[in-house]
């Protein structure tokens, strides 16, 4: 499978979204929380609290939507600054109550419209990066589709980062890279190879810790296994004292 095949698979219309993962993993235990307490409730970011193996966790994800109406309502998963501020509010709440944080990432990138820039898009993302690095509770981020630039990284400063087999994670889209480097968008497939954006490439580079098998909507075995892995990882990370946890997280990113 080529790198561009992975790009196509990550963008597929029938791919499970964050809402699907929350439903299959947490069921009715998920309670959604809204708003950034400053401007609005960004529907591109869904977040709340849920239970896994009897323990409460904070769940935050970038949601693209599953049909045209949902995608328009959720801005195709491209968050505004208030979305990232909502995510940070929930993370700080998790820290206060000693809850681990689970993030699902699926976005082509943060929204780059005029309004988003006027309301401090860059600052909102930067604050997330800074605060997540020192958040005194375990963080796990999972890339379930596209992971585009700072819009993805704003939910990926974590103790461990996982990717689904066909997910991608890159500083820029292949189309953007081809347009900048070759002034030729037809070279998208070549750009995809150069960017090393596949889960296999990033695992070899040490950027991620685990590759997760692609689940189907009816594949309960894979979802159950995924749920068990998440619970085990939070147990493992929760065993570290705060100083050790933060030191490991800091060193994880310093090594890059």
């Amino acid at each position: 499978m080529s790198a561009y095949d992975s790009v196509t698979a990550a963008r597929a219309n029938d791919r499970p979204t964050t809402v699907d993962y929350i439903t299959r993993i947490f069921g009715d235990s998920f309670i959604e929380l809204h708003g950034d307490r400053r401007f609005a409730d960004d529907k591109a970011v869904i977040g709340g609290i849920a239970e896994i193996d009897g323990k409460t966790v904070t769940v935050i994800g970038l949601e693209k939507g599953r049909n045209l109406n949902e995608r328009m309502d959720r801005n195709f998963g491209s968050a505004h600054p208030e979305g990232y501020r909502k995510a940070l509010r929930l993370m700080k709440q998790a820290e206060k109550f000693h809850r681990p944080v689970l993030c699902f990432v699926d976005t082509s990138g943060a929204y780059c419209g005029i309004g988003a820039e006027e309301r401090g898009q860059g600052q909102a993302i930067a604050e997330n990066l800074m605060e997540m690095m020192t958040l005194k509770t375990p963080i796990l981020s999972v890339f379930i589709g596209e992971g585009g630039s700072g819009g993805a990284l704003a939910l990926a400063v974590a103790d461990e980062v996982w990717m689904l087999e066909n997910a991608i994670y890159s500083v820029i889209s292949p189309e953007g890279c081809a347009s900048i480097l070759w002034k030729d968008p037809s070279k998208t497939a070549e750009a995809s190879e150069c960017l090393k954006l596949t889960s296999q490439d990033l695992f070899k580079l040490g950027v991620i810790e685990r590759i997760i098998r692609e689940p189907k909507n009816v594949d309960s075995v894979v979802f159950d296994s995924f749920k068990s892995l998440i619970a085990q990882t939070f147990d493992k990370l929760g065993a570290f004292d705060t100083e050790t946890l933060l030191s490991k997280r800091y060193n994880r990113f310093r090594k890059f």
Side-chain angles (χ1 to χ4, degrees):
M1 189 174 186
S2 70
Y4 188 64
D5 288 335
S6 291
V7 173
T8 303
R11 296 170 174 172
N13 289 334
D14 60 349
R15 192 175 184 84
T17 67
T18 291
V19 168
D20 296 313
Y21 281 91
I22 290 174
T23 301
R24 296 304 299 269
I25 294 171
F26 302 106
D28 294 335
S29 74
F30 178 72
I31 300 172
E32 187 175 359
L33 303 175
H34 298 273
D36 69 339
R37 301 296 186 268
R38 297 190 193 180
F39 183 75
D41 181 38
D42 187 351
K43 294 183 180 179
V45 176
I46 183 171
I49 55 176
E51 280 192 4
I52 186 167
D53 285 0
K55 298 178 181 177
T56 306
V57 299
T58 290
V59 185
I60 303 165
L62 290 154
E63 170 61 34
K64 285 185 173 181
R66 293 166 292 182
N67 55 53
L68 182 58
N69 287 336
E70 281 188 15
R71 287 170 186 163
M72 292 175 66
D73 195 38
R74 296 189 183 273
N75 203 36
F76 296 84
S78 292
H80 291 76
E82 47 271 20
Y84 294 113
R85 289 174 179 137
K86 173 167 70 172
L88 182 57
R89 179 176 74 83
L90 297 180
M91 290 179 203
K92 298 299 286 185
Q93 182 191 79
E95 180 183 56
K96 177 180 179 180
F97 293 103
H98 309 291
R99 294 194 294 258
V101 177
L102 173 63
C103 296
F104 290 109
V105 180
D106 185 16
T107 181
S108 59
Y111 187 58
C112 55
I114 292 175
E117 297 297 337
E118 288 175 340
R119 296 193 300 277
Q121 185 72 286
Q123 183 185 31
I125 292 172
E127 284 180 350
N128 275 31
L129 306 186
M130 180 180 70
E131 294 285 355
M132 289 181 78
M133 186 61 75
T134 57
L135 198 74
K136 298 179 179 67
T137 196
I139 312 171
L140 170 63
S141 292
V142 185
F143 283 70
I144 60 172
E146 282 190 279
S149 194
L153 186 60
L155 292 185
V157 179
D159 300 296
E160 288 196 16
V161 176
W162 301 351
M163 290 178 70
L164 267 65
E165 288 173 298
N166 296 327
I168 59 172
Y169 187 14
S170 175
V171 69
I172 192 173
S173 69
E175 293 83 0
C177 177
S179 296
I180 291 171
L181 292 185
W182 293 288
K183 305 293 189 290
D184 183 359
S186 69
K187 292 187 177 290
T188 298
E190 185 176 346
S192 299
E193 295 291 343
C194 294
L195 286 168
K196 303 297 180 187
L197 46 64
T198 69
S199 59
Q200 294 79 16
D201 287 330
L202 293 167
F203 183 77
K204 290 176 185 176
L205 290 168
V207 175
I208 65 171
E209 279 72 29
R210 189 185 291 271
I211 298 173
I212 303 295
R213 196 173 125 202
E214 293 277 342
K216 307 299 182 185
N217 278 322
V218 295
D219 197 345
S220 60
V221 174
V222 175
F223 276 106
D224 289 344
S225 175
F226 190 20
K227 178 178 179 178
S228 179
L229 278 173
I230 292 168
Q232 291 171 22
T233 299
F234 281 144
D235 286 341
K236 177 185 72 175
L237 295 173
F240 295 122
D241 61 78
T242 301
E243 184 177 347
T244 302
L245 183 73
L246 296 185
S247 177
K248 283 180 171 290
R249 189 184 305 156
Y250 175 80
N251 289 326
R252 180 187 185 278
F253 286 91
R254 286 297 295 171
K255 73 179 182 182
F256 299 155

